[in-house]
Amino acid sequence: MKDMAKFEIWFLILMVCGLWMVEAKYMVYNTSQGIVAGKLNVHLVPHTHDDVGWLKTVDQYYVGSNNSIQGACVENVLDSLIPALLADKNRKFIYVEQAFFQRWWRNQSPRMQNTVRQLVNSGQLEFINGGWCMHDEAATHYIDMIDQTTLGHNYIKQQFNVTPRIGWQIDPFGHSAVQAYLLGAEVGFDSLFFGRIDYQDREKRKAEKSLEVIWQGSKSLSSSTQIFAGAFPKNYEPPSGFYFEVNDNSAIPVQDDVNLFDYNVQERVNDFVAAALSQANITRSNHIMWTMGTDFKYQYAESWFKNMDKLIHYVNQDGRVNALYSSPSIYTDAKHALDESWPLKTDDYFPYADRINAYWTGYFTSRPALKLYVRMMSGYYLAARQLEFFKGRSDTGTTTELLADALAIAQHHDAVSGTSKQHVADDYSKRLFIGYKQAEDLVSNSLACMVESASASGCKNPQINFKQCPLLNISYCPPTEADLAPGKKLVVVVYNALGWKRTDVVRIPVVNKNVIVQDSNGKEIESQLLPIVKASIAIRNYYATAYVGESPTSSPKYWLAFTVTVPALGFSSYVITSGKQAVSASIPQTFYKTDGSQSDAVEVGPGNLKLSYSANGGKFTQYFNKRNQVRSSLEQSFSYYSADDGSKDDWKDLQASGAYVFRPNGSFPIHPEGKVPVTIIRGSLLDEVHQNINSWIYQITRVYKEKEHIEVEFTVGPIPIDNGIGKELVTQIQTDIKSNKTFYTDSNGRDFIKRIRDYRADWNLQVNQPAAGNYYPINLGLFLKDNNNEFSVLVDRSVGGSSLVDGQLELMLHRRLLHDDGRGVGEALNETVCALGKCMGLTVQGKYYMRIDSLGEGAKWRRSFGQEIYSPLLLAFTEQDGDKFTKFQVPTFTGIDPSYSLPDNVAIITLQVDEDKDLSTTASVELKRLFPKRKINKIKEMSLTANQERAEMEKKRIKWKAETPSDLRDVPRGGPVDPKKLVVELAPMEIRTFVIDLSQSLPAAESWKSHMSL
């Protein structure tokens, strides 16, 4: 028996040894499978989502530094991707963010660049979306969306001669109609895919198999802008269990080596098939997409591809479903080949909530100072490019390129959205400042060349030194604060970036009240002095020190306001000198103060528009326009939402108000601290009403003689948090308009979309957050109307807004919060500014504008004045001496034919048309008069981002079928441009892009190209 036992032991040992001694063989996986008819096709789409800043800065993400915050290195992703693709010709990958790719590309050898070009040409590597970043869709202006996408598309075209054909907005927090039709169909995309839609909407669409739709985002352009759009079943990650990042704890690799333990091929195949069938149950047709990747993945790309190779090989051997390497382009073509009809989607996907009590509507206002800075730089960039064009671009001088890069990065969905960490937000601002300083030099140099000579081309070293004032909004402007000695004069050049003549009132801070303003002909200009209040001086000194690093050396006492008239795409010059008599003496002015105890009403407004104030309540009560006899009650108030900290929630549903999420825990009116004193300053140009609401809210209301709208300037902050509760400040404006729950908000500054309180057109809304769930992003404005009147409010930056009460519009102006909302940023939104030896909560200054019109009359003002808000007059200053009035050879200038002006409904976007009954018509632009001093040699109409000819784009564009009848009327579009007449036609809400080959009218002049969008 002992011998028998001994034999059995040796037998076991031999068997075990036999297992380990099986000869290993190199395994070749069959990854060549394409689409198989009649089977469920699982399209594996390898991708990485690389935020252009979020928890780390864009450069930290690229090089992989600061990994204590997040282990992420985009350089590693791209470095490891190329050899992984070369290992198997069937492997595919898509890449989006060109801000990262160009960082990597410029450091590659010519040999590597050729290799990558081959991968692009073969379709293994495909650029999707193709912008500099994946821009936000709530807090972005459509011009910025176009610019950043154009920057990326042109880069791809230059380096690879390809045009992206798929939109890929997988991470923005809600999706806009403008994204669908303008940054989708109009750039030539055949489809658009995204990850985030409301949780209630998603569940209904999953049940109805309507996650994929035909999205018609434009009411004006109708079915011509339809695009195939797909929302993912959950997010942009792989199904659970199919996550293969190297060293990740959740990874379950496909273990197919029989010599090793934990062999799991059949188990993994079964998991794959189960997940595929589950997704097929909520998706139409036999094609589903798996997004194989997520944030900053493929640090070691082979770990993903090796496992996908195995899955494709073994799943296809199993035969129940078909797996293949794919891309959104292949998937789109497969869906189109089915020749089926799809559900029709109109309007947009706002607001977005990912679960109960979690509406991502707070970020519409988060970081309001950054939002204003982005908007200011955007308007400045537009003007700077125009001046760069008029002067002529230099190969050696300053350009607008750094500002273009900074602005493009700032459109990222964690940048202008206000949802990054504080140090990253600081980095965005720093990049904008560096870009601005370079563009500022270009603007100053261009203006100097243009005023010194009628032919600015070739000018290199102008003698005039112009200075500008980026902090003019807080009354800090050193060039205007000098006390002008006799014989000295301050010359102000005012540039207008719009295509029509503008008359406006500008304000600059001055130290002396004895000043006179004259135009370039020596004619004295009507002006008015306004006192700078003590509260403004304190903010000025603190924030100017924080911004420039040193305390101001002077303190201006007055705002000097005067009227300017500036030609289209041109400038005018004004001269300010010291005079014997003060402006305030030559132009009568009245100060009226109340202590809040009077019972009478006070009327303000030197022109047609009159506002009535209650001296007792310190609020305006009545709006009346003498010209059109429009009259309405009007009352404004402030309140704050107490930010919920989530402490009463179950741990699994914990939800605080934070950078992304707006979750209020009650609304509290702000009652003035005692009687509100009202100071009224009357003048010939404008009236001002000053109100110190409390210790942290100051408001100035302006009514101009020649304008028929109200301008409200607010200064808010620091928001007090002494009681340990975060606050979200709002202002409400109440009218007597019977709006019946209905109001209208803009989409990225373009179309206005109808909203109904507590209602969604696509599903039966379960209301759990009556305030947050009715907030929408505002970039241009919002309005409400009844059968008689309409009430409009326009804004100077992206904010959140709503109408929570009939007849009332509400804007959120500022947020200061003490808790993180659990969406990844890991910080409370508690912005502070440090200067003069102390740190304080952020103070925000801004403006909004109000107007009441007869029904149907408000659209013209919203469009035209909205353009003026986006493109404010640019001011440049220089001090001169001598007897000569100015040393300018060219004191006024227009870049177009002086007798020509663009139609009121047309704007030049780079160098729109609308629902007003007069403006909603086809408009014509005469190019010969737009470029009077240049010869147009050739003109080509391009796609929106100018990376392909329009005709070619239209020819390639896929046409889709919608289930429900859409508006199939023949929407007129602008026709082809006659090469002799050179007249461009624009249909309502149409944007057309042209590349124009120009030369000077002189025969021997140099020729160059201009890219222009109308």
Side-chain angles (χ1 to χ4, degrees):
M1 290 294 295
K2 290 181 180 179
D3 291 339
M4 188 66 175
K6 191 174 183 180
F7 172 78
E8 289 175 351
I9 291 170
W10 277 104
F11 178 76
L12 286 172
I13 291 174
L14 286 171
M15 287 294 293
V16 171
C17 289
L19 267 173
W20 291 101
M21 293 174 61
V22 172
E23 182 182 357
K25 293 183 178 180
Y26 175 71
M27 183 69 183
V28 178
Y29 299 102
N30 182 5
T31 60
S32 63
Q33 188 70 284
I35 292 171
V36 176
K39 275 192 177 182
L40 175 61
N41 291 277
V42 185
H43 296 249
L44 303 184
V45 178
H47 79 105
T48 179
H49 174 60
D50 298 340
D51 289 306
V52 184
W54 179 38
L55 308 182
K56 307 198 296 187
T57 69
V58 57
D59 286 345
Q60 289 171 349
Y61 270 134
Y62 178 70
V63 301
S65 60
N66 212 356
N67 281 337
S68 61
I69 294 177
Q70 183 182 15
C73 177
V74 176
E75 189 174 24
N76 285 348
V77 172
L78 294 171
D79 279 345
S80 70
L81 172 65
I82 305 308
L85 291 177
L86 292 173
D88 184 345
K89 67 179 181 179
N90 297 307
R91 291 175 174 178
K92 299 185 186 302
F93 196 83
I94 62 171
Y95 198 76
V96 175
E97 297 86 1
Q98 297 308 300
F100 284 128
F101 188 84
Q102 59 89 21
R103 281 168 164 75
W104 181 82
W105 180 254
R106 68 192 180 207
N107 290 322
Q108 302 308 306
S109 67
R111 182 177 179 180
M112 175 59 77
Q113 289 185 347
N114 286 334
T115 298
V116 174
R117 286 192 176 99
Q118 291 172 9
L119 291 172
V120 172
N121 291 336
S122 70
Q124 279 191 264
L125 175 60
E126 183 175 357
F127 294 112
I128 298 291
N129 226 31
W132 219 237
C133 68
M134 186 181 294
H135 57 229
D136 186 52
E137 297 183 39
T140 44
H141 193 277
Y142 77 93
I143 293 178
D144 291 325
M145 296 164 79
I146 293 172
D147 283 346
Q148 83 85 18
T149 306
T150 299
L151 192 65
H153 282 195
N154 286 348
Y155 184 81
I156 294 170
K157 187 71 173 180
Q158 291 167 6
Q159 298 297 332
F160 301 97
N161 194 33
V162 296
T163 58
R165 54 175 293 231
I166 307 295
W168 190 255
Q169 290 287 112
I170 60 175
D171 198 26
F173 327 123
H175 305 282
S176 74
V178 160
Q179 177 65 39
Y181 85 84
L182 194 62
L183 277 302
E186 290 295 292
V187 299
F189 288 167
D190 287 320
S191 59
L192 168 63
F193 297 97
F194 42 88
R196 299 187 187 272
I197 64 174
D198 188 277
Y199 72 103
Q200 295 181 34
D201 189 15
R202 191 190 303 272
E203 290 308 308
K204 181 174 184 288
R205 291 183 180 280
K206 287 164 66 174
E208 296 177 347
K209 294 189 175 183
S210 61
L211 287 167
E212 294 174 329
V213 298
I214 303 303
W215 191 355
Q216 182 176 303
S218 173
K219 182 178 179 181
S220 300
L221 298 176
S222 188
S223 58
S224 66
T225 54
Q226 290 181 351
I227 189 170
F228 181 81
F232 300 137
K234 187 175 181 182
N235 52 35
Y236 52 87
E237 297 185 355
S240 178
F242 294 93
Y243 187 87
F244 302 119
E245 187 67 11
V246 64
N247 297 328
D248 189 270
N249 294 334
S250 65
I252 307 175
V254 180
Q255 207 293 80
D256 63 341
D257 189 339
V258 295
N259 297 325
L260 306 179
F261 290 170
D262 301 323
Y263 180 87
N264 65 358
V265 170
Q266 193 58 50
E267 178 184 348
R268 294 271 62 201
V269 169
N270 290 340
D271 291 342
F272 187 101
V273 172
L277 292 175
S278 176
Q279 186 169 333
N281 286 334
I282 58 173
T283 308
R284 297 193 181 198
S285 84
N286 62 328
H287 294 277
I288 62 172
M289 181 196 301
W290 281 14
T291 48
M292 301 300 292
T294 185
D295 296 6
F296 300 101
K297 301 312 174 191
Y298 291 75
Q299 302 279 320
Y300 174 57
E302 188 61 25
S303 68
W304 283 87
F305 283 112
K306 178 168 55 181
N307 281 281
M308 285 187 288
D309 287 351
K310 294 178 180 181
L311 285 172
I312 292 171
H313 179 85
Y314 292 119
V315 165
N316 291 339
Q317 277 189 347
D318 175 85
R320 283 175 286 174
V321 301
N322 182 57
L324 67 151
Y325 276 122
S326 188
S327 69
S329 297
I330 295 172
Y331 181 79
T332 297
D333 291 339
K335 289 286 186 174
H336 182 257
L338 299 172
D339 196 28
E340 294 184 2
S341 296
W342 304 89
L344 180 68
K345 166 71 178 175
T346 58
D347 59 64
D348 60 10
Y349 288 92
F350 284 118
Y352 162 64
D354 59 352
R355 67 184 190 208
I356 191 171
N357 298 324
Y359 279 95
W360 296 40
T361 53
Y363 82 96
F364 300 161
T365 299
S366 295
R367 301 195 186 278
L370 176 63
K371 283 177 164 65
L372 177 63
Y373 196 25
V374 171
R375 185 62 54 83
M376 289 172 60
M377 291 299 98
S378 179
Y380 189 84
Y381 175 54
L382 186 148
R385 281 185 292 176
Q386 291 178 2
L387 290 168
E388 186 177 32
F389 170 78
F390 290 135
K391 175 187 172 291
R393 184 161 183 160
S394 169
D395 293 333
T396 57
T398 55
T399 69
T400 56
E401 289 180 358
L402 282 180
L403 184 54
D405 176 77
L407 269 171
I409 288 173
Q411 306 313 312
H412 169 60
H413 59 269
D414 282 307
V416 68
S417 59
T419 55
S420 68
K421 283 186 176 291
Q422 183 62 57
H423 78 103
V424 180
D426 294 340
D427 186 71
Y428 292 132
S429 296
K430 180 179 179 180
R431 291 175 184 277
L432 289 169
F433 176 76
I434 293 171
Y436 166 78
K437 293 302 292 183
Q438 187 184 73
E440 182 186 48
D441 291 342
L442 180 146
V443 167
S444 297
N445 187 272
S446 297
L447 287 174
C449 287
M450 293 166 71
V451 300
E452 287 183 1
S453 171
S455 176
S457 180
C459 171
K460 294 183 179 179
N461 298 302
Q463 299 302 306
I464 295 173
N465 180 24
F466 278 111
K467 296 181 179 179
Q468 297 166 61
C469 298
L471 298 181
L472 187 59
N473 66 314
I474 59 170
S475 73
Y476 180 70
C477 185
T480 72
E481 296 169 18
D483 195 354
L484 295 172
K488 295 282 188 180
K489 58 179 73 74
L490 177 70
V491 183
V492 184
V493 171
V494 185
Y495 180 75
N496 170 24
L498 296 179
W500 56 82
K501 183 174 73 172
R502 292 170 67 176
T503 298
D504 208 343
V505 175
V506 300
R507 297 183 305 131
I508 60 174
V510 295
V511 297
N512 194 333
K513 65 181 179 180
N514 297 313
V515 290
I516 296 173
V517 184
Q518 297 167 287
D519 66 14
S520 57
N521 295 319
K523 178 184 175 182
E524 187 168 341
I525 300 298
E526 188 175 24
S527 55
Q528 179 180 344
L529 282 178
L530 300 156
I532 298 178
V533 297
K534 292 181 180 180
S536 294
I537 291 296
I539 291 172
R540 169 190 185 274
N541 292 340
Y542 188 81
Y543 279 87
T545 302
Y547 190 82
V548 302
E550 57 185 25
S551 299
T553 57
S554 63
S555 291
K557 299 178 180 178
Y558 311 99
W559 283 107
L560 172 63
F562 57 96
T563 302
V564 298
T565 300
V566 194
L569 296 175
F571 61 76
S572 297
S573 303
Y574 295 86
V575 178
I576 300 172
T577 56
S578 57
K580 296 180 180 179
Q581 190 179 31
V583 168
S584 56
S586 62
I587 303 173
Q589 189 163 282
T590 304
F591 290 80
Y592 180 92
K593 289 190 176 182
T594 76
D595 59 9
S597 62
Q598 293 91 332
S599 60
D600 57 325
V602 181
E603 186 178 84
V604 297
N608 287 328
L609 180 58
K610 303 294 182 183
L611 284 184
S612 294
Y613 269 81
S614 166
N616 181 35
K619 297 180 178 181
F620 41 71
T621 59
Q622 193 78 209
Y623 175 107
F624 177 58
N625 188 324
K626 291 195 303 182
R627 179 186 60 82
N628 56 19
Q629 296 297 299
V630 170
R631 185 187 298 271
S632 174
S633 64
L634 189 69
E635 184 174 341
Q636 183 223 8
S637 60
F638 288 96
S639 64
Y640 70 85
Y641 292 102
S642 174
D644 200 317
D645 61 6
S647 59
K648 296 180 181 179
D649 296 330
D650 294 335
W651 68 268
K652 64 179 180 178
D653 295 321
L654 180 67
Q655 185 56 66
S657 203
Y660 298 92
V661 174
F662 171 32
R663 190 188 181 188
N665 185 18
S667 175
F668 302 89
I670 294 177
H671 298 294
E673 298 167 356
K675 297 291 185 179
V676 178
V678 176
T679 300
I680 298 175
I681 305 170
R682 302 186 190 275
S684 60
L685 297 180
L686 71 152
D687 289 355
E688 283 191 347
V689 181
H690 291 244
Q691 297 170 278
N692 196 3
I693 307 298
N694 61 18
S695 61
W696 52 282
I697 302 176
Y698 194 91
Q699 179 170 287
I700 303 173
T701 304
R702 300 187 180 97
V703 183
Y704 292 86
K705 179 181 179 180
E706 300 298 333
K707 297 182 182 295
E708 296 183 359
H709 65 257
I710 306 166
E711 176 183 299
V712 179
E713 180 180 295
F714 59 87
T715 303
V716 175
I719 295 177
I721 52 173
D722 302 342
N723 61 355
I725 297 175
K727 299 174 181 66
E728 313 188 50
L729 181 76
V730 298
T731 185
Q732 296 105 350
I733 307 101
Q734 182 72 47
T735 71
D736 55 17
I737 291 177
K738 299 174 178 60
S739 53
N740 191 27
K741 293 187 176 183
T742 303
F743 59 108
Y744 301 79
T745 67
D746 73 277
S747 178
N748 302 111
R750 296 261 318 150
D751 310 60
F752 279 88
I753 297 178
K754 182 178 180 179
R755 314 293 189 184
I756 301 176
R757 192 163 60 250
D758 294 335
Y759 173 80
R760 301 292 188 270
D762 293 334
W763 77 95
N764 293 324
L765 177 67
Q766 297 177 13
V767 179
N768 53 65
Q769 286 292 319
N774 285 298
Y775 254 65
Y776 292 88
I778 313 298
N779 279 281
L780 170 59
L782 69 171
F783 72 93
L784 45 80
K785 63 183 180 179
D786 60 16
N787 293 330
N788 299 309
N789 295 327
E790 51 188 80
F791 171 49
S792 305
V793 176
L794 302 185
V795 297
D796 65 349
R797 75 198 79 185
S798 169
V799 299
S802 186
S803 176
L804 301 179
V805 176
D806 281 357
Q808 183 187 93
L809 291 177
E810 175 173 306
L811 296 176
M812 184 178 288
L813 305 179
H814 196 0
R815 316 177 75 216
R816 190 179 186 190
L817 307 172
L818 302 179
H819 298 275
D820 177 60
D821 55 16
R823 294 308 184 274
V825 75
E827 283 182 0
L829 185 68
N830 183 9
E831 297 180 273
T832 56
V833 177
C834 299
L836 300 175
K838 59 181 178 180
C839 295
M840 298 191 301
L842 177 69
T843 295
V844 171
Q845 189 180 78
K847 295 178 182 178
Y848 60 89
Y849 310 85
M850 304 185 291
R851 175 165 162 151
I852 302 176
D853 288 280
S854 298
L855 182 63
E857 298 295 327
K860 184 174 183 179
W861 177 73
R862 289 192 293 269
R863 287 299 174 192
S864 59
F865 189 67
Q867 286 287 345
E868 293 183 12
I869 296 172
Y870 177 81
S871 294
L873 294 170
L874 187 155
L875 307 181
F877 309 93
T878 186
E879 190 174 303
Q880 295 182 355
D881 54 17
D883 297 331
K884 192 174 179 180
F885 188 64
T886 73
K887 296 181 179 179
F888 295 172
Q889 295 294 320
V890 184
T892 63
F893 165 85
T894 177
I896 66 177
D897 186 327
S899 64
Y900 183 61
S901 178
L902 286 179
D904 290 343
N905 54 353
V906 175
I908 295 179
I909 297 174
T910 59
L911 162 185
Q912 318 230 195
V913 197
D914 137 60
E915 61 279 275
D916 179 80
K917 66 179 188 295
D918 296 321
L919 302 186
S920 291
T921 58
T922 300
S924 297
V925 177
E926 300 178 43
L927 294 180
K928 290 180 180 178
R929 300 180 73 183
L930 201 57
F931 303 102
K933 297 180 180 180
R934 294 183 170 93
K935 180 183 177 183
I936 298 176
N937 300 315
K938 188 178 180 181
I939 179 170
K940 286 193 300 184
E941 182 168 10
M942 309 294 288
S943 64
L944 183 68
T945 54
N947 65 344
Q948 56 185 318
E949 290 194 34
R950 177 86 190 192
E952 177 188 358
M953 181 193 81
E954 294 287 1
K955 186 177 180 180
K956 294 188 302 183
R957 175 181 286 171
I958 290 177
K959 301 295 189 294
W960 298 90
K961 296 179 182 178
E963 280 182 348
T964 54
S966 62
D967 187 356
L968 297 177
R969 59 192 167 92
D970 186 16
V971 177
R973 291 269 193 158
V977 178
D978 187 304
K980 294 183 179 179
K981 294 181 180 179
L982 293 172
V983 175
V984 175
E985 295 178 343
L986 290 166
M989 296 305 289
E990 184 178 22
I991 297 178
R992 300 178 70 178
T993 300
F994 298 89
V995 171
I996 305 174
D997 186 7
L998 296 168
S999 62
Q1000 294 283 9
S1001 297
L1002 298 176
E1006 184 181 359
S1007 174
W1008 69 93
K1009 288 183 178 180
S1010 171
H1011 164 208
M1012 177 184 72
S1013 291
L1014 292 169

